[in-house]
Amino acid sequence: MKVLVYGGCGGLGRVIVQHFKAAGFYVLSVDIPENKEADACVQVNLADDWIAQETNIAKKVLDVLKGDKLEAVINVAGGWAGGNTQDPDWVKNADLMWKQSVWSSTIAATIAAKALKEGGLLVLPGAHPAIAGTPGMMGYGMAKAAVHQLVKSLGASGSGLPEGACALGILPITMDTPMNRKFMPNADFSTWTPLSEVADTLEKWSRGQQRPATGSLVAMITENGTTFLRLEN
């Protein structure tokens, strides 16, 4: 069984690659650098514009797969940047957020349309705060809201995905990453979602287990060290 992890070198992406490898999957990582733990890697060229990235990444992925189909395409690429309209860098930050979340999600959708097996899984990276207004992180909220809309479109009839495919958005609140611990050392970690919980959930969905309906936005909420899922649409 083969899966593709877009953003396979990020904090969450590396854990997902490790988890799926340990579970016996062939893992293809897509990111700027290579992930040496993956079975194969496709590197993103930041000099490419949106159209060129889609064309080049999709071609490289298909070349690696050699006609094989994927059980899942999992996009966990992205980052965070703040700013409101008084911040001189807020549009610059919005541009970065768009490139990280929206470009990667549209390219992941293209790959899914070309290489996902019937009944396969496509997961895109939403964010729970983007369900409402995000005045302190406008670019981030805009980009994540666009991903939410894309998930709903991909889950609707006529999206172009293979027959029976399931498109889901994961909406974490705060994930327990080394970077988050570095910048928020005094936070309540019992409300942060462990990366292993995310990876375990994605594996179950990839195997067709406990999947929500296609087009669902799935919040990942952790309270007192216990993580549960809640549909937000």
Side-chain angles (χ1 to χ4, degrees):
M1 295 188 292
K2 297 186 176 184
V3 298
L4 180 148
V5 181
Y6 206 121
C9 289
L12 176 57
R14 288 188 181 277
V15 171
I16 293 171
V17 170
Q18 292 166 357
H19 181 98
F20 275 85
K21 283 285 293 178
F25 287 78
Y26 172 102
V27 181
L28 169 56
S29 172
V30 178
D31 210 323
I32 300 163
E34 290 187 351
N35 183 331
K36 300 295 186 181
E37 295 182 87
D39 293 285
C41 297
V42 168
Q43 292 182 261
V44 178
N45 185 351
L46 293 181
D48 287 346
D49 63 17
W50 193 354
I51 297 168
Q53 277 195 22
E54 182 210 25
T55 300
N56 294 335
I57 293 170
K59 181 182 184 303
K60 289 176 183 178
V61 167
L62 294 176
D63 288 345
V64 169
L65 292 175
K66 295 181 172 63
D68 290 344
K69 295 295 184 180
L70 296 162
E71 300 287 331
V73 175
I74 299 167
N75 180 21
V76 289
W80 182 90
N84 63 15
T85 53
Q86 294 293 327
D87 186 335
D89 289 331
W90 89 270
V91 171
K92 176 183 177 182
N93 289 343
D95 179 63
L96 176 62
M97 294 298 93
W98 198 264
K99 289 175 178 174
Q100 290 183 342
S101 290
V102 179
W103 285 24
S104 64
S105 292
T106 56
I107 296 168
T110 292
I111 293 168
K114 295 177 180 293
L116 194 64
K117 76 169 193 176
E118 291 189 356
L121 173 72
L122 171 62
V123 175
L124 301 182
H128 194 266
I131 293 172
T134 55
M137 46 182 182
M138 287 188 170
Y140 178 84
M142 288 166 57
K144 293 300 186 180
V147 173
H148 296 176
Q149 200 283 334
L150 179 58
V151 169
K152 293 181 180 181
S153 294
L154 290 165
S157 176
S159 70
L161 292 183
E163 183 70 25
C166 180
L168 299 172
I170 53 171
L171 278 59
I173 298 176
T174 305
M175 288 189 289
D176 193 356
T177 65
M179 194 63 68
N180 282 340
R181 283 187 178 247
K182 176 181 177 180
F183 288 107
M184 294 180 278
N186 298 318
D188 179 3
F189 300 146
S190 72
T191 65
W192 290 13
T193 301
L195 304 186
S196 59
E197 290 276 359
V198 180
D200 185 62
T201 297
L202 294 175
E203 184 198 344
K204 289 176 182 175
W205 290 351
S206 296
R207 296 184 184 274
Q209 301 168 1
Q210 302 175 24
R211 277 187 195 172
T214 187
S216 294
L217 301 176
V218 186
M220 294 184 161
I221 300 169
T222 302
E223 295 176 353
N224 298 318
T226 300
T227 300
F228 61 93
L229 306 180
R230 184 178 70 202
L231 300 184
E232 292 295 346
N233 53 334

